[in-house]
Amino acid sequence: MIIDGKKTAAELREELKKKVAELKSTHNAVPGLTVILVGEDPASKIYVKNKEKFAKEIGMNSEVIRYPANVEEKVVLNKIKELNEDKKISGILVQLPLPKHIDKRKVIETILPGKDVDGFHPVNVGNLSSGYDSSIPCTPLGCYLLLKKVEKNLNGKHAVVIGRSNLNGKPMTQLLLKENCTVTITHSKTKDLKAECNRADIIIAAVGRPKLVKGNWVKKGAIVIDVGINKTDSGIVGDVDFDEVSKVAKAVTPVPGGVGPMTIACLLSNTIECFKKLN
Ligand code: NAP
């Protein structure tokens, strides 16, 4: 089975569009997402454009604040403080990566946890790992929703997460633990990654290494979720060798068209959740 992230994301956006319309009639207001973009990183510009497009499409207010790459850190921090106070704004996202002279940690910690639609603020990270209500980082949330589409009951499954980033691997691990999976988290110092993967019912690959996960790494019937986006001479590929793995796995996400489209849909969902809590 090829897990169609594009279709699932479109379905989710349809649901969210209805939710926004409902909120408009009950609250006489709609959620508002503000994205701050610093500099001219081409990939970031595309991501931000898509975020704005889809937010508008489902009826949300959406705004992008753009700064040149040499903007002073305090200008960005002051803007975030202003947005924190603005009742029309339910979600604030600062597009990463930031130029080196801007402290990413300071930026993330300045966003009000209740408006942190990326789920990167330490309060949200702590709440997620304590099993409390929190904003959940969008990409792992998208992976989780795709996984649940294939397998409703994850109880007792052995999941191997490849990568331990704050963005993907760590929050993904928390979501899998919440579902009662037994989780092995692996990284660049893991001794025998193939052997770890061979034991997995579920593999989440969030590495950034083209086609790292081979067909003979995957147990027959496993579910494989590929987070990777790698530019190669032959185009964009994931962290999973799709041609090989799709022959042994029960289900696998393609790249592109798998996890990617879910990330923005989950961002919109997080913005709606923040709106509800703030109101
Ligand atoms: P990251 O911060 O660079 O983390 C990569 C992780 O992979 C690290 O934990 C690293 O281990 C581990 N790793 C590197 N080489 C390895 C190897 N050979 N074997 C095992 N583990 C290895 O990356 P990220 O931000 O999580 O992103 C991962 C991938 O997802 C990238 O391709 C990125 O473009 C993609 N991505 C996709 C989406 C989407 O919407 N689909 C969103 C975000 C990111 P150490 O900790 O030991 O260094």
Side-chain angles (χ1 to χ4, degrees):
M1 174 188 176
I2 295 165
I3 308 169
D4 190 342
K6 218 171 159 183
K7 182 165 166 247
T8 310
E11 288 164 0
L12 178 55
R13 289 198 305 274
E14 269 314 301
E15 274 173 42
L16 299 175
K17 195 173 177 178
K18 285 183 198 143
K19 278 191 191 169
V20 172
E22 263 172 48
L23 291 171
K24 197 172 178 179
S25 66
T26 52
H27 290 68
N28 199 25
V30 293
L33 172 67
T34 297
V35 177
I36 297 181
L37 175 63
V38 181
E40 299 290 328
D41 179 66
S44 293
K45 279 164 90 172
I46 295 171
Y47 293 145
V48 167
K49 200 173 135 206
N50 286 334
K51 284 168 185 173
E52 191 178 25
K53 177 184 148 203
F54 286 123
K56 285 193 171 144
E57 218 172 88
I58 68 157
M60 269 183 194
N61 288 331
S62 172
E63 166 193 36
V64 180
I65 299 170
R66 292 181 171 80
Y67 291 113
N70 62 356
V71 65
E72 276 184 72
E73 181 185 88
K74 68 172 184 226
V75 172
V76 178
L77 297 180
N78 286 338
K79 178 49 82 179
I80 295 172
K81 287 177 194 159
E82 199 184 293
L83 296 169
N84 284 343
E85 298 299 318
D86 187 338
K87 293 209 160 41
K88 294 191 295 301
I89 308 299
S90 359
I92 305 167
L93 181 152
V94 178
Q95 186 65 44
L96 301 176
L98 288 165
K100 283 203 176 62
H101 69 280
I102 299 182
D103 184 343
K104 180 174 87 174
R105 183 172 172 184
K106 248 192 227 170
V107 165
I108 290 172
E109 291 183 2
T110 303
I111 300 173
L112 203 67
K115 294 191 177 189
D116 167 35
V117 281
D118 256 341
F120 295 159
H121 192 288
V123 167
N124 283 318
V125 176
N127 281 338
L128 179 63
S129 64
S130 304
Y132 302 142
D133 188 32
S134 71
S135 270
I136 299 167
C138 307
T139 302
L141 180 58
C143 294
Y144 169 81
L145 295 177
L146 291 177
L147 196 53
K148 289 288 276 188
K149 253 192 111 88
V150 182
E151 194 81 55
K152 281 211 166 60
N153 185 1
L154 302 178
N155 231 337
K157 301 272 182 211
H158 181 205
V160 169
V161 178
I162 318 178
R164 56 175 162 182
S165 70
N166 292 335
L167 183 69
N168 290 309
K170 283 181 192 150
M172 191 68 230
T173 300
Q174 298 301 341
L175 292 174
L176 292 164
L177 282 175
K178 251 185 162 175
E179 288 292 316
N180 298 320
C181 290
T182 302
V183 190
T184 302
I185 180 156
T186 64
H187 44 77
S188 67
K189 309 290 182 293
T190 296
K191 288 228 166 76
D192 189 348
L193 188 57
K194 180 184 172 198
E196 297 296 344
C197 288
N198 271 144
R199 294 189 295 122
D201 303 309
I202 297 163
I203 297 173
I204 312 283
V207 199
R209 299 279 179 274
K211 299 188 182 184
L212 176 78
V213 178
K214 301 291 175 199
N216 64 359
W217 290 29
V218 177
K219 192 166 82 177
K220 197 163 185 286
I223 303 170
V224 181
I225 307 285
D226 189 352
V227 182
I229 301 177
N230 307 292
K231 262 192 199 159
T232 67
D233 293 342
S234 48
I236 302 281
V237 300
D239 292 337
V240 171
D241 189 325
F242 182 83
D243 292 339
E244 286 188 21
V245 169
S246 56
K247 292 193 181 95
V248 278
K250 170 180 168 181
V252 58
T253 57
V255 176
V259 174
M262 290 298 287
T263 298
I264 296 185
C266 289
L267 168 70
L268 305 177
S269 174
N270 281 352
T271 309
I272 294 175
E273 291 309 309
C274 285
F275 173 91
K276 285 189 192 161
K277 286 176 205 155
L278 290 165
N279 290 275

